Amino acid sequence: MQKKVLWIILATVLASNLQVNAQYAKTDSTYNKWFIGTSLFVLFGNFDRENPPNFVQLDIGYRITGKDVIRISPKTWKYAWPNGIHPFLNKAYKKLEEKFPGYVREYGVTASYARFLWKGLYAQLDVMPTYQIFANDNGKKIDNGFQVFNSYRMGYHIKLFKDKFFFQPSICITHRAYHTQLPDGFKQLDDKWSKFIFPEPGLNVGFNF
């Protein structure tokens, strides 16, 4: 994991030296309004041998104006430790005594709105309703659930290769705003932890068209 973090930091430094004036002017109508992308940071997690999330995400976005952006992002992943444990800053993450008696598989669609504040600096709200499947250690389904998972994000949009691609390092507060009751064994562990996590890093990449 430390090597992955170092690669992320290196990529951020290299990209930040390219082009930082990323905001589109109000009078500029030549920029591409549509884009697709994904979360590069979370994809790195799929190489985790101990708790791979089997994460898949596709971002589909539209620039309403040079400053206002909307996006939908279908995604799926799984996890075996409570979402309230910070994966980098809390030593309880991946401890056996904090592990669920199985795992949670989630399917969701994030609806996002971003507003550019200054140059490439933006603020973004993500709201994601998810369908949850609770499974035991053998992969057998034991229950269903529903969750609303929000992110309150600040980031920077960096143009790459004449604005064909972009790179967005960010940081956010995640908030489990609502969820149905978890099954026995999951609930007791989840209740121990906060509904908020901060800071959580993000690293999105995309292609404009």
Side-chain angles (χ1 to χ4, degrees):
M1 179 58 72
Q2 290 178 343
K3 290 183 179 179
K4 296 172 187 174
V5 173
L6 289 175
W7 276 111
I8 292 167
I9 294 172
L10 177 60
T12 303
V13 172
L14 291 175
S16 65
N17 288 324
L18 296 177
Q19 183 176 354
V20 297
N21 188 16
Q23 180 180 330
Y24 299 102
K26 290 182 179 180
T27 56
D28 182 7
S29 60
T30 62
Y31 59 86
N32 293 307
K33 293 186 179 296
W34 291 94
F35 63 88
I36 58 173
T38 191
S39 172
L40 185 62
F41 185 83
V42 182
L43 282 177
F44 287 152
N46 287 339
F47 295 100
D48 188 336
R49 295 182 179 181
E50 187 175 358
N51 185 38
N54 303 132
F55 176 87
V56 179
Q57 173 178 323
L58 175 64
D59 300 330
I60 305 169
Y62 180 77
R63 296 183 177 91
I64 304 171
T65 70
K67 289 188 175 182
D68 301 282
V69 183
I70 56 174
R71 187 189 71 187
I72 59 170
S73 305
K75 61 184 70 174
T76 181
W77 71 99
K78 68 183 180 84
Y79 53 92
W81 276 264
N83 274 329
I85 305 177
H86 199 296
F88 303 122
L89 303 181
N90 195 317
K91 294 181 179 180
Y93 185 68
K94 289 191 177 181
K95 283 193 173 181
L96 186 60
E97 58 267 29
E98 299 296 339
K99 183 181 179 299
F100 287 141
Y103 62 87
V104 186
R105 163 65 69 177
E106 295 196 342
Y107 300 89
V109 178
T110 299
S112 304
Y113 168 72
R115 173 73 177 179
F116 281 88
L117 306 174
W118 178 77
K119 293 188 176 181
L121 182 68
Y122 67 90
Q124 181 171 305
L125 170 65
D126 304 317
V127 178
M128 179 177 62
T130 69
Y131 171 69
Q132 299 176 306
I133 297 175
F134 297 89
N136 62 20
D137 286 322
N138 296 321
K140 182 179 179 180
K141 176 181 172 181
I142 59 177
D143 205 351
N144 296 323
F146 176 79
Q147 178 173 235
V148 177
F149 190 93
N150 297 340
S151 299
Y152 316 110
R153 187 178 305 276
M154 293 290 293
Y156 204 89
H157 179 96
I158 302 168
K159 298 176 183 178
L160 301 172
F161 306 110
K162 297 183 179 180
D163 203 23
K164 290 294 184 182
F165 296 88
F166 63 85
F167 181 85
Q168 289 182 326
S170 66
I171 192 167
C172 75
I173 301 172
T174 62
H175 176 205
R176 292 180 292 154
Y178 171 80
H179 61 77
T180 54
Q181 182 166 313
L182 279 65
D184 190 50
F186 289 77
K187 183 180 187 305
Q188 290 80 357
L189 291 170
D190 187 80
D191 284 349
K192 295 168 58 177
W193 303 99
S194 172
K195 304 299 181 185
F196 294 87
I197 278 190
F198 177 81
E200 184 165 306
L203 191 64
N204 279 34
V205 294
F207 169 74
N208 296 315
F209 63 96

